[in-house]
Amino acid sequence: MKKLSMLGLSVPVLSIALAGIFPAQVKAERLVIQGSTTVFPITVATAEAFMRDNPGADISVRGGGSGGGVRALVEGGRIVAQSSRPMRHKEKMTMQAAGRNPVEHTIGLDGMAIIVHPNNLVTGLTMKQVRDIYAGRITDWKDVGGTPGRIVIVSRDIGSGTFGSFVDIVMKKEAIHPGAIFQASSGAVVEAVSGSPHAIGYVGMGFLDERTKAVDVDGISPTVENVVSGIYPISRPLFFYTDGEPRGLAKQYIDFVFSPRGQEIVAEQGFVPVK
Amino acid sequence: MKKFFRRGKGIEFLFLFFALASVFFLAGIVVVLFSSGLLILRTVTLREFILGRYWHPLFYEPPAYGILPIILGSFWVTLGAMCIAIPLGVGAAVYIAEVASPQLKEILKPVIELLGAIPSVVYGFFGVVALAPFIMRLFDLPIGFTALTASILLGLMALPTIVTISEDVISSVPVLYREASYALGATKLETAAKVVFPAAFPGIVTAIILGMGRAIGETMVVMMVAGGSAIIPRSFLQPVRAMTATIGLEMGEAASGSPHMHALFGIGCVLFVLTLLFSIAAERFSIRFRRQVGI
């Protein structure tokens, strides 16, 4: 019995200890990109294409949320941070105080889609209705023109850039009702909404597929054209952040993302190219 | 001869180092945890932190750092898990130790232990794709991510701990007890129920407490299937947020040195104190068991 409890104790202790001894170390010829799960599909697809063209290059892409990526960069990690929200003032200050200079690269735009179950009769909502639903003031689908039924609010966890953008753009800093379901990734939001006829969720446009239905917001559909022209109300830039101007492999890769081929991949992934 | 002795000493020190390593790491973790976690008390009072009903750590003005709904969320899923794991686990242990034929025992024990070898993310995945939709249809709920869903999975995950330890405990009740009982004319069932089980009881309590520790500390499953709503639970059929899930979900966004980070460490402290109490209780019962059966 004693042996067992010791075992239970020492396994987490060991893994924590290992994580402390071997932090994400990066060799010069290796590039690590870390952060937003929204930007993740773009990064993976462009990195794969880049590595096919440059067999010597070694790029690894990690998720973890915008906050995690930006924090790793701020705290001195030799990485490229991918983020679906701009770096905060405080984060920039911390980095500059350490004598380093964050450089922002806007690699694409993302329209944020409001999604519902495919069987939901609602096809459009106003910004105010979305805000009222997420704040818990509208609780039944019949109040927004749907079949009666209690609305299930699905949100990203607060560690995500998507959450931050949603709170900024849609909620105008108002609190999301604490009774919401919180999911750890955009994929999990799609999963939850596709499985629940009464659910509403929000994800980047790249996550739209036949499993859920995107509703119009203020009468505008979340399409690439509407985001480019600026009439779709919920859109945001997607960023890479580097410590100083990128050099070496990081520069080659970021140049590739901005190349016509790279921007084509951005569009293929369901996002809006910037060039 | 002298050389051999020296080498022996060297090895002894090496193993002393191994033995002390765990203690050293544990001490390090405790120091880091509490030195960061207690800083939340500069922002809110202990009462506001533990009994506060609202958790709005980011983006909102003013932020709120109340973890009562989160503590209760952890308690609910753990309680639910125990309602499932205790009858199943103790029942299975009694069956394996007292009733099952040796051949059946050879099959049952490893299979139950295998449950413990499944990574928690696999349980979570199973919960998302199979159990949550099932719960949703069964109870006609708007969504299947509920305290019950998490409880069922955590119960399954705690089973191997409870079964294995309970079975060991029951098997280690001295044969003398059973023989004395049979000699008095008791049947096998009467012996199991009235002699072996009471003798093994403190040991079984140890098993249950260790299983509880497993359930309350589990992160991945509650993050994936419990729903994550930071509201005070009123039913097993509503989404809840556990302490572990809160730390797991939000650590990425919390800036180092911010009250939010301190609050997450504070939750870690609460969790640590709880599991420590569980461990102490388990040890107490374990000692009582050994004394009771004289081993």
Side-chain angles (χ1 to χ4, degrees):
Chain A
M1 237 169 295
K2 211 165 183 185
K3 247 187 235 159
L4 247 166
S5 60
M6 270 296 283
L7 199 71
L9 200 65
S10 59
V11 169
V13 168
L14 190 67
S15 56
I16 290 166
L18 286 177
I21 296 169
F22 304 111
Q25 277 178 354
V26 187
K27 278 181 257 159
E29 69 280 13
R30 221 179 134 215
L31 178 61
V32 175
I33 305 170
Q34 187 185 336
S36 168
T37 55
T38 305
V39 188
F40 188 83
I42 300 181
T43 321
V44 168
T46 49
E48 276 172 0
F50 180 80
M51 285 191 284
R52 264 200 303 279
D53 297 348
N54 305 273
D58 178 8
I59 302 178
S60 69
V61 184
R62 298 176 191 162
S66 298
V70 169
R71 198 175 73 204
L73 184 72
V74 168
E75 288 173 355
R78 293 169 60 190
I79 59 157
V80 170
Q82 48 185 355
S83 178
S84 60
R85 61 157 174 85
M87 218 166 156
R88 299 201 182 96
H89 181 67
K90 205 178 152 196
E91 290 163 341
K92 285 184 182 161
M93 295 303 283
T94 311
M95 217 169 144
Q96 278 157 357
R100 293 172 313 119
N101 182 33
V103 176
E104 182 176 290
H105 313 265
T106 306
I107 59 160
L109 300 172
D110 182 25
M112 203 190 289
I114 306 297
I115 55 172
V116 296
H117 192 271
N119 295 348
N120 197 318
L121 296 177
V122 174
T123 56
L125 292 167
T126 64
M127 269 298 238
K128 186 167 181 318
Q129 282 173 327
V130 176
R131 182 159 61 243
D132 286 347
I133 288 172
Y134 272 89
R137 283 188 294 271
I138 297 179
T139 57
D140 200 297
W141 282 110
K142 71 177 176 350
D143 297 327
V144 289
T147 325
R150 198 177 165 74
I151 300 175
V152 177
I153 310 168
V154 182
S155 171
R156 279 297 306 280
D157 63 273
I158 70 171
S160 74
T162 310
F163 177 93
S165 306
F166 185 82
V167 170
D168 280 345
I169 304 170
V170 179
M171 300 307 288
K172 314 270 186 232
K173 298 267 171 192
E174 199 180 343
I176 288 180
H177 190 265
I181 304 281
F182 287 89
Q183 295 288 40
S185 72
S186 296
V189 171
V190 171
E191 192 70 46
V193 173
S194 68
S196 168
H198 298 300
I200 185 169
Y202 58 86
V203 289
M205 265 167 46
F207 287 90
L208 291 180
D209 57 24
E210 71 290 345
R211 287 182 293 164
T212 60
K213 182 175 82 172
V215 299
D216 296 350
V217 178
D218 289 342
I220 312 287
S221 313
T223 62
V224 169
E225 301 78 64
N226 290 341
V227 172
V228 171
S229 66
I231 57 172
Y232 184 71
I234 322 174
S235 76
R236 54 179 174 160
L238 303 176
F239 304 104
F240 279 165
Y241 284 97
T242 51
D243 175 7
E245 286 299 333
R247 288 186 306 270
L249 181 57
K251 177 169 168 42
Q252 285 171 19
Y253 167 71
I254 292 175
D255 286 346
F256 174 75
V257 174
F258 282 116
S259 73
R261 175 84 190 98
Q263 289 290 300
E264 199 178 300
I265 294 172
V266 170
E268 274 166 19
Q269 294 297 320
F271 298 93
V272 181
V274 281
K275 283 194 177 159
Chain B
M1 196 64 202
K2 209 173 176 185
K3 201 175 170 188
F4 173 77
F5 180 74
R6 267 214 308 275
R7 189 190 288 165
K9 263 285 186 248
I11 289 172
E12 195 183 312
F13 275 118
L14 185 67
F15 278 83
L16 176 68
F17 169 75
F18 289 156
L20 289 181
S22 300
V23 178
F24 175 74
F25 287 132
L26 178 65
I29 289 168
V30 171
V31 168
V32 169
L33 189 62
F34 281 87
S35 63
S36 299
L38 292 177
L39 290 179
I40 186 60
L41 300 181
R42 288 202 306 215
T43 313
V44 290
T45 64
L46 185 63
R47 196 187 154 83
E48 281 165 353
F49 184 59
I50 302 283
L51 296 178
R53 290 161 160 263
Y54 296 99
W55 175 252
H56 288 314
L58 260 184
F59 297 111
Y60 307 122
E61 286 304 325
Y65 300 104
I67 63 167
L68 183 64
I70 301 171
I71 296 178
L72 291 176
S74 274
F75 271 116
W76 276 60
V77 292
T78 307
L79 183 74
M82 288 304 108
C83 291
I84 292 159
I86 292 173
L88 274 180
V90 176
V94 170
Y95 180 79
I96 292 172
E98 293 294 304
V99 188
S101 65
Q103 294 93 322
L104 193 58
K105 193 171 167 176
E106 287 304 303
I107 300 170
L108 279 177
K109 271 202 93 168
V111 168
I112 291 172
E113 276 159 22
L114 205 62
L115 268 181
I118 299 173
S120 58
V121 68
V122 175
Y123 280 98
F125 184 70
F126 169 75
V128 170
V129 300
L131 189 60
F134 174 73
I135 297 276
M136 183 172 107
R137 277 196 301 276
L138 186 65
F139 295 100
D140 194 22
L141 298 171
I143 196 150
F145 298 125
T146 63
L148 178 67
T149 321
S151 291
I152 293 173
L153 292 172
L154 292 179
L156 280 180
M157 295 172 78
L159 262 186
T161 311
I162 297 182
V163 175
T164 313
I165 301 175
S166 300
E167 200 267 338
D168 286 349
V169 164
I170 295 169
S171 300
S172 64
V173 171
V175 150
L176 275 174
Y177 284 34
R178 290 168 227 260
E179 286 173 347
S181 173
Y182 294 146
L184 289 171
T187 63
K188 195 166 182 179
L189 189 69
E190 283 169 338
T191 306
K194 293 187 177 156
V195 176
V196 178
F197 188 76
F201 186 72
I204 292 172
V205 173
T206 303
I208 291 169
I209 295 171
L210 291 176
M212 270 170 80
R214 171 98 169 92
I216 203 168
E218 169 53 36
T219 307
M220 205 61 201
V221 161
V222 284
M223 210 150 101
M224 290 170 83
V225 306
S229 304
I231 43 176
I232 291 174
R234 308 223 176 275
S235 136
F236 272 106
L237 297 177
Q238 74 183 50
V240 295
R241 165 180 290 233
M243 290 187 273
T244 50
T246 306
I247 300 175
L249 280 170
E250 299 181 7
M251 212 58 174
E253 185 69 357
S256 19
S258 66
H260 184 201
M261 183 65 101
H262 297 151
L264 292 179
F265 271 103
I267 296 175
C269 295
V270 173
L271 205 50
F272 178 84
V273 169
L274 282 173
T275 40
L276 186 70
L277 290 177
F278 283 169
S279 292
I280 292 171
E283 194 61 34
R284 280 281 166 83
F285 278 102
S286 166
I287 291 168
R288 191 191 293 180
F289 167 71
R290 270 176 274 158
R291 197 174 294 149
Q292 187 165 313
V293 299
I295 50 174

